[in-house]
């Protein structure tokens, strides 16, 4: 896994067509634990260092609403989890698009969705920070980060995964 102290550390993966999710099915998932109450800690951000709001995925915790996970895409908050997360607790989070619906799952429970017909652009991926800027950094841990492109992984509530995620067909990132 990866440890983030909220002070200038993050993972930056260069822009790649692997992260251009297009208009097909996809999944982004990880396990995370935040250990310090900071402002809007980002788990993953597809915007470049200028913060350009192209059609790319971003996931953060809404610090002014009980640290509810947020899925931000198409320059707007699209899904706000109906459930908040607790400090110093491991959580599994998955964002999954199937057809024209993108859903959020927290610890296997469906906690929100929206109609999503956008085509996601090629982008870099910053893990543990907002757009590689050091602005909204995560203090905590992340592990088992997976992006799957072109395949439906979750389409309804499920039991939280145990063990490392599999490298299934369409996997473009597995950390």
């Amino acid at each position: 896994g990866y440890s983030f102290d909220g002070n200038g550390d993050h993972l930056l993966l260069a822009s790649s067509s692997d992260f251009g999710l297009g208009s097909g099915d996809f999944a982004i998932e990880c396990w995370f634990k935040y250990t310090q109450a900071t402002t809007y800690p980002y788990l993953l951000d597809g915007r470049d260092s200028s913060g350009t709001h192209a059609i790319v995925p971003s996931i953060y915790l809404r610090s002014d609403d009980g640290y509810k996970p947020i899925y931000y895409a198409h320059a707007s908050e699209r899904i706000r989890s109906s459930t908040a997360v607790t400090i110093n607790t491991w959580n599994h989070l998955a964002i999954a698009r199937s057809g024209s619906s993108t859903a959020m799952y927290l610890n296997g429970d469906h906690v929100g969705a929206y109609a999503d017909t956008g085509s996601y652009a090629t982008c870099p991926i910053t893990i543990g920070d907002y757009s590689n800027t050091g602005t909204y950094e995560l203090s905590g841990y992340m592990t088992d980060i997976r992006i799957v492109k072109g395949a439906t992984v979750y389409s309804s509530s499920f039991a939280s995964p145990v063990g490392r995620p599999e490298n299934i067909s369409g996997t473009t990132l597995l950390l």
Side-chain angles (χ1 to χ4, degrees), residues 76-163:
S76 184
E77 178 182 304
R78 297 300 175 170
I79 305 171
R80 183 182 301 202
S81 172
S82 59
T83 304
V85 295
T86 304
I87 195 166
N88 291 314
T89 303
W90 280 102
N91 293 277
H92 181 264
L93 183 69
I95 306 296
R97 178 158 77 175
S98 178
S100 61
S101 179
T102 296
M104 178 186 289
Y105 301 92
L106 181 61
N107 299 317
D109 294 328
H110 182 273
V111 293
Y114 87 104
D116 184 0
T117 58
S119 182
Y120 288 75
T122 295
C123 63
I125 295 291
T126 302
I127 296 171
D129 191 5
Y130 165 80
S131 301
N132 183 29
T133 62
T135 306
Y136 298 117
E137 297 175 288
L138 174 66
S139 289
Y141 303 91
M142 291 181 69
T143 192
D144 297 337
I145 304 161
R146 179 172 70 171
I147 297 177
V148 177
K149 178 179 172 180
T152 299
V153 178
Y154 305 111
S155 58
S156 62
S157 295
F158 56 92
S160 292
V162 176

Side-chain angles (χ1 to χ4, degrees), residues 45-64:
D45 196 0
R47 291 172 285 195
D48 61 25
S49 60
S50 70
T52 300
H53 293 268
I55 300 178
V56 296
S58 297
I59 303 167
Y60 66 95
L61 304 178
R62 185 85 191 210
S63 55
D64 62 352

